[in-house]
């Protein structure tokens, strides 16, 4: 990048934030250059892990949390919980003295209590709730995992205790409550807006109890948070936290190099040498629970035929993708589940290789194949267009006709939720937000997820559903692992998707910044971050 380009980036940054504000941030806060702006400030409504990484852990708390080091469940808003012997009742006792944010648009008159927990989940469960209606019932994470279908009753036991009663045991229930989507909202704030006939602001002007509170934003440019002095874990060291929304990796790099950003999300593989050459910049590299894959539309010929799926799967050169797209910052995926998962099953041989020429293969080559591509750089695939071209070349070289169509996420999601979907292949991927495999498998491969538009292969398999439910019905880890092994074997045999890569998660940051916590499931915590 030349001097003119870097200078231009610096000028733009100062114009957007203002000179005095920019100086204040450099002195008293942190600027994080990230790729994605949230569509809403309520993570319950979001479908993108990259987007909720800008909101969830900074603005909100959850009933329970996952320790980023040990991966064990720890208390959040609930300081303890009990599970009944039959696994159907979960009682949560709430901490006292948790303060909601005080902002220019809301001043709380009380601390967090059971009413807030009730409101946070009733809006998801009760189809008559005003906030359910406001959101059109569109809660991507909760709908995908069938959250509401397994809740028999939610009860307020006291001002400081609530109970969930399930219809059937679910060993993944606590992990789901610890996800970034399961945030606790303010019932008092909702009541105030409802009385003023302004309920539409509830998800756009956020009030939570997290370590930072919302101040302002310039849409698709930056979002500014201030320190929540009364946070129950203690106030963060930094007074300000600014998210600089910069989709283009090269511009994020320029801002990091010029000091406009302190932290840069997901540097491109070809930028690592530049970063390593700067002594003041550090790179954090982690194995992520993610996968990129080629999804076959299993409800539409020719890929309704597993033999065609296996034939095409055997043609794709994964090593070339790793070398050309990731520059070796990813591993070839033998299966859908990352080796970082506790339920990972090592695949000794691939069942997908089928290079033989059969009449049904030759017939499939007669008509053009539509390859749709999510044309947005993601942590699991930084260059989807280039990946698609490599796959297209592999298939064309074997006689297939392939048309590539690039789509952004919002357009693609509308198509995916239509009754009939016309793509044949879809290049996409997934990053999970908690360590429980149920979250990973249920959101992408369950029959319910077909209707929600997140089962990209539209694969609905009764045996898979039985295994998935059996895995969560047992509290014994050995039983769960056994069922997840069977699930992975079933997916390997039926090939609804062709797993391509497991990408490394990377961040770069200035060495003056300390105390950052990188979440292995996505996002970063600045609760204890400080500048030295």
């Amino acid at each position: 990048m030349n001097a003119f380009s870097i200078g231009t980036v610096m000028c733009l940054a100062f114009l957007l934030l203002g000179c005095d504000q920019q100086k204040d941030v450099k002195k008293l806060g942190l600027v994080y250059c990230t790729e994605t702006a949230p569509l809403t400030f309520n993570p319950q409504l979001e479908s993108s892990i990259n987007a909720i990484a800008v909101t969830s852990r900074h603005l909100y708390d959850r009933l329970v949390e996952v320790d980023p080091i040990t991966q064990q469940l720890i208390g959040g808003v609930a300081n303890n919980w009990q599970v009944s012997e039959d696994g159907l009742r979960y009682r949560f006792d709430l901490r006292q003295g948790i303060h909601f944010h005080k902002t220019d648009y809301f001043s709380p008159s009380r601390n967090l209590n059971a009413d807030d927990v009730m409101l946070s989940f009733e809006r998801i469960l009760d189809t008559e709730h005003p906030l359910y209606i406001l959101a059109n019932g569109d809660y991507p994470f909760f709908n995908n995992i069938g959250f509401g279908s397994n809740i028999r009753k939610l009860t307020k036991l006291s001002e400081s205790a609530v109970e969930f009663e399930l219809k059937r045991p679910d060993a993944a229930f606590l992990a789901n409550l610890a996800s970034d989507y399961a945030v606790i909202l303010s019932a008092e704030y909702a009541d105030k807006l409802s009385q003023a006939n302004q309920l539409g602001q509830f998800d756009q002007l956020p009030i939570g109890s997290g370590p930072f509170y919302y101040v302002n934003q310039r849409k698709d440019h930056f979002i500014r948070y201030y320190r929540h002095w009364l946070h129950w874990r203690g106030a963060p060291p930094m007074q300000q936290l600014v998210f600089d929304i910069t989709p283009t990796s090269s511009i994020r790099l320029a801002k990091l190099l010029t000091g406009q950003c302190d932290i840069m999300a997901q540097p491109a593989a070809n930028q690592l040498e530049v970063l390593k050459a700067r002594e003041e910049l550090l790179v954090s590299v982690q194995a992520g629970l993610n996968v990129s894959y080629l999804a076959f539309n299993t409800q539409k010929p020719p890929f309704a035929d597993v033999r065609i799926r296996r034939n095409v799967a055997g043609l794709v050169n994964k090593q070339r993708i790793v070398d050309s797209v990731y520059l070796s910052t990813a591993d070839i995926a033998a299966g859908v589940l990352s080796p970082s998962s506790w339920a990972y099953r090592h695949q000794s041989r691939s069942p997908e290789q089928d290079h033989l020429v059969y009449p049904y293969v030759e017939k499939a080559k007669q008509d053009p194949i539509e390859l749709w591509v999510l044309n947005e750089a993601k942590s699991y695939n930084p260059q989807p267009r280039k990946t698609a071209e490599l796959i297209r070349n592999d298939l064309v070289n074997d006689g297939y006709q392939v048309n590539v169509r690039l789509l952004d996420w919002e357009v693609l999601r509308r198509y995916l939720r239509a009754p009939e979907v016309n793509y044949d292949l879809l290049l996409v991927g997934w990053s999970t937000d908690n360590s429980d495999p149920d979250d990973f498998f249920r959101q992408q491969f369950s029959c319910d997820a077909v209707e929600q538009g997140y089962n990209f292969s539209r694969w609905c398999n009764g045996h898979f559903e039985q295994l998935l439910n059996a895995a969560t019905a047992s509290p014994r880890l050995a039983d769960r692992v056994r069922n997840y092994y069977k699930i992975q074997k079933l997916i390997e045999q039926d090939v609804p998707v062709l797993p391509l890569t497991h990408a490394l998660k990377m961040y770069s940051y200035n060495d003056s910044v300390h105390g950052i916590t990188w979440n292995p499931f996505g996002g970063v915590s600045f609760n204890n971050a400080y500048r030295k």
Side-chain angles (χ1 to χ4, degrees):
M1 181 166 287
N2 58 37
F4 173 79
S5 299
I6 292 176
T8 302
V9 170
M10 293 177 67
C11 291
L12 285 173
F14 275 91
L15 285 171
L16 289 174
L17 291 175
C19 292
D20 292 337
Q21 291 179 342
Q22 181 76 8
K23 291 176 183 177
D24 287 344
V25 173
K26 296 302 293 182
K27 186 189 305 181
L28 305 171
L30 296 173
V31 179
Y32 180 29
C33 275
T34 188
E35 34 325 28
T36 307
L39 296 175
T40 167
F41 282 92
N42 181 358
Q44 295 175 331
L45 310 180
E46 272 286 3
S47 59
S48 166
I49 285 182
N50 289 345
I52 65 169
V54 179
T55 59
S56 182
R57 295 182 180 275
H58 317 295
L59 297 175
Y60 300 99
D61 291 308
R62 287 143 291 280
L63 279 172
V64 291
E65 308 276 355
V66 177
D67 186 294
I69 306 300
T70 67
Q71 304 305 311
Q72 299 299 308
L73 289 170
I74 59 175
V77 166
N79 58 359
N80 62 72
W81 58 91
Q82 301 89 39
V83 184
S84 63
E85 289 188 10
D86 61 7
L88 295 178
R89 287 182 172 83
Y90 288 74
R91 174 192 169 112
F92 296 91
D93 297 308
L94 309 182
R95 296 180 191 273
Q96 302 300 299
I98 295 182
H99 298 269
F100 279 109
H101 300 153
K102 181 179 180 180
T103 68
D104 292 341
Y105 51 88
F106 178 69
S107 295
S109 65
R110 61 167 177 80
N111 292 337
L112 186 151
N113 64 27
D115 291 332
D116 304 302
V117 179
M118 296 293 290
L119 175 278
S120 300
F121 292 99
E122 282 179 337
R123 72 167 296 179
I124 299 169
L125 302 171
D126 181 4
T127 58
E128 301 299 320
H129 197 286
L131 287 171
Y132 182 98
I133 296 171
L134 180 69
N136 295 316
D138 190 9
Y139 300 96
F141 171 79
F142 295 98
N143 292 346
N144 284 349
I145 65 172
F147 183 81
S149 64
N150 195 32
I151 305 295
R152 186 181 302 280
K153 187 167 56 174
L154 174 60
T155 306
K156 175 183 174 181
L157 302 178
S158 70
E159 289 299 310
S160 60
V162 298
E163 181 181 82
F164 289 83
E165 182 181 352
L166 309 186
K167 297 177 182 177
R168 61 183 182 277
D170 181 1
F173 183 68
L174 287 174
N176 290 331
L177 292 184
S179 76
D180 281 356
Y181 302 95
V183 296
I184 304 302
L185 310 169
S186 168
E188 183 184 15
Y189 180 45
D191 288 341
K192 175 191 174 183
L193 291 177
S194 181
Q195 292 170 13
N197 199 28
Q198 296 176 335
L199 199 57
Q201 296 182 15
F202 188 71
D203 298 318
Q204 298 301 329
L205 288 175
I207 293 293
S209 60
F212 295 91
Y213 68 88
Y214 172 84
V215 178
N216 57 28
Q217 70 167 324
R218 181 173 175 182
K219 188 170 176 57
D220 296 325
H221 289 286
F222 72 86
I223 299 169
R224 186 191 310 278
Y225 300 148
Y226 280 175
R227 167 171 54 192
H228 181 199
W229 283 100
L230 299 177
H231 189 245
W232 60 276
R233 292 189 191 273
M238 304 306 296
Q239 293 185 18
Q240 291 190 48
L241 177 59
V242 174
F243 287 89
D244 186 313
I245 311 301
T246 310
T248 305
S249 178
S250 60
I251 299 179
R252 292 200 301 275
L253 175 63
K255 289 182 177 182
L256 182 68
L257 294 175
T258 58
Q260 300 308 304
C261 291
D262 300 295
I263 307 103
M264 170 190 178
Q266 207 58 36
N270 60 9
Q271 297 171 345
L272 293 181
E273 290 302 317
V274 175
L275 294 170
K276 291 176 181 178
R278 299 286 292 262
E279 292 184 358
E280 77 278 14
L281 299 180
L282 302 174
V283 178
S284 171
V285 180
Q286 292 180 315
L289 286 171
N290 64 62
V291 63
S292 68
Y293 57 74
L294 186 66
F296 300 98
N297 187 344
T298 60
Q299 294 188 1
K300 179 177 179 287
F303 296 115
D305 188 334
V306 67
R307 298 173 301 178
I308 305 297
R309 300 199 293 269
R310 287 176 177 159
N311 177 263
V312 166
L315 299 174
V316 176
N317 189 328
K318 298 181 186 180
Q319 186 64 58
R320 186 180 294 125
I321 293 173
V322 169
D323 294 341
S324 301
V325 174
Y326 298 85
L327 303 182
S328 301
T329 60
D331 295 321
I332 292 176
V336 290
L337 197 60
S338 167
S340 303
S341 171
W342 53 261
Y344 173 72
R345 170 186 178 271
H346 177 69
Q347 184 177 343
S348 58
R349 65 176 295 273
S350 173
E352 69 212 19
Q353 305 301 323
D354 188 353
H355 296 288
L356 299 178
V357 177
Y358 293 108
Y360 58 80
V361 173
E362 294 306 305
K363 182 179 179 182
K365 294 177 180 178
Q366 293 175 5
D367 297 317
I369 291 172
E370 289 290 318
L371 168 56
W372 289 9
V373 182
L374 175 58
N375 191 33
E376 297 176 8
K378 299 290 185 182
S379 58
Y380 56 75
N381 191 343
Q383 298 185 71
R385 182 185 302 211
K386 185 172 183 178
T387 305
E389 287 302 322
L390 291 171
I391 292 172
R392 178 185 178 276
N393 291 342
D394 288 337
L395 302 191
V396 168
N397 287 339
D398 199 65
Y400 284 94
Q401 305 174 60
V402 183
N403 297 324
V404 175
R405 183 178 182 185
L406 305 173
L407 299 166
D408 65 37
W409 173 239
E410 288 307 308
V411 173
L412 176 59
R413 191 178 177 211
R414 286 200 300 270
Y415 284 138
L416 292 174
R417 300 182 75 180
E420 294 185 9
V421 183
N422 291 324
Y423 68 87
D424 299 296
L425 301 171
L426 174 59
L427 180 61
V428 69
W430 197 269
S431 295
T432 189
D433 80 314
N434 69 52
S435 62
D436 198 292
D438 184 76
D439 171 83
F440 181 85
F441 288 118
R442 196 174 294 274
Q443 289 202 72
Q444 297 179 86
F445 299 105
S446 69
C447 296
D448 286 343
V450 175
E451 182 179 351
Q452 297 299 324
Y454 293 94
N455 183 333
F456 304 121
S457 64
R458 305 180 71 79
W459 180 68
C460 181
N461 184 293
H463 188 204
F464 170 88
E465 300 284 326
Q466 293 173 0
L467 292 171
L468 192 62
N469 291 331
T472 54
S474 175
R476 295 182 68 247
L477 185 62
D479 293 338
R480 299 195 68 199
V481 169
R482 189 178 300 111
N483 281 296
Y484 289 129
Y485 277 17
K486 293 178 181 178
I487 284 172
Q488 291 169 80
K489 184 175 181 180
L490 178 62
I491 291 175
E492 290 161 9
Q493 291 174 341
D494 216 29
V495 201
V497 302
L498 169 64
L500 299 172
T501 62
H502 300 299
L504 297 174
K505 289 173 55 181
M506 296 185 292
Y507 303 87
S508 183
Y509 58 101
N510 191 284
D511 64 3
S512 65
V513 180
H514 300 264
I516 302 172
T517 302
W518 311 106
N519 189 315
F521 311 118
V524 56
S525 171
F526 299 105
N527 297 15
N528 300 310
Y530 62 96
R531 193 189 299 278
K532 188 174 180 180

